[in-house]
């Protein structure tokens, strides 16, 4: 829909006359940051005991991980272009309530979980991601 009002439509307006307006708008949007940016949730903590990466191909970066029993700091990193999550499942099939949500590429989620010695399965419950399984051995 075109308007013939000089305020809204000016056929004589060229790209050169619009360029400063477009640039100013782009700079304004960049300054807003769009809600992203660097925060502690986008950085792997130095004290992480286990770092699990969701990679392209809908899989974890390793098939097995290990940790020492007690309070375990788990950091999950999404390096793929798809959203993922990470749940910990005990050997008896009980899914622990702690979930790490990896909504976008570059997202890092961290959780401290108290784990007893044993084997746990790390899974992603996003539909179609059933092959995202890895073993976490806690000793």
């Amino acid at each position: 829909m075109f308007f013939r009002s000089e305020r809204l439509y000016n056929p004589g307006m060229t790209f050169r006359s619009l360029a400063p307006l477009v640039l100013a708008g782009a700079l304004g949007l960049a300054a807003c940051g769009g809600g992203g940016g660097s925060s502690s949730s986008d950085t792997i903590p130095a004290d992480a005991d286990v770092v699990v990466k969701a990679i392209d191909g809908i899989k974890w970066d390793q098939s097995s991980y290990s940790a020492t029993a007690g309070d375990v700091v788990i950091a999950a990193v999404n390096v793929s272009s798809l959203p993922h999550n990470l749940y910990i499942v005990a050997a008896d099939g009980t899914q622990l309530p702690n979930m790490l949500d990896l909504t976008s590429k570059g997202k890092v989620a961290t959780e401290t979980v108290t784990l007893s010695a044993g084997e746990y399965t790390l899974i992603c419950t996003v539909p179609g991601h059933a092959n995202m399984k890895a073993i976490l051995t806690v000793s």
Side-chain angles (χ1 to χ4, degrees):
M1 178 175 198
F2 292 98
F3 296 96
R4 292 284 178 191
S5 166
E6 283 298 311
R7 279 181 56 200
L8 299 175
Y9 173 75
N10 183 351
M13 189 172 276
T14 65
F15 178 73
R16 267 197 188 145
S17 59
L18 287 175
L21 294 174
V22 172
L23 180 60
L27 290 174
L29 287 174
C32 290
S38 177
S39 71
S40 62
S41 66
D42 293 334
T43 304
I44 300 169
D47 65 343
D49 299 302
V50 179
V51 177
V52 181
K53 294 180 182 177
I55 61 174
D56 287 330
I58 308 178
K59 59 185 180 178
W60 301 121
D61 65 323
Q62 298 180 40
S63 60
S64 63
Y65 303 88
S66 60
T68 303
D71 288 343
V72 179
V73 178
I74 298 178
V77 183
N78 189 352
V79 295
S80 85
S81 56
L82 299 172
H84 300 283
N85 59 42
L86 186 146
Y87 281 91
I88 303 168
V89 180
D92 66 359
T94 304
Q95 186 170 298
L96 293 143
N98 311 72
M99 187 267 292
L100 299 164
D101 200 17
L102 303 168
T103 55
S104 60
K105 188 172 188 169
K107 179 71 176 169
V108 176
T110 305
E111 185 76 36
T112 300
V113 185
T114 303
L115 299 174
S116 301
E119 274 196 2
Y120 299 82
T121 304
L122 306 177
I123 63 169
C124 177
T125 62
V126 171
H129 295 200
N131 62 320
M132 291 185 77
K133 290 184 181 177
I135 301 298
L136 172 60
T137 303
V138 179
S139 54

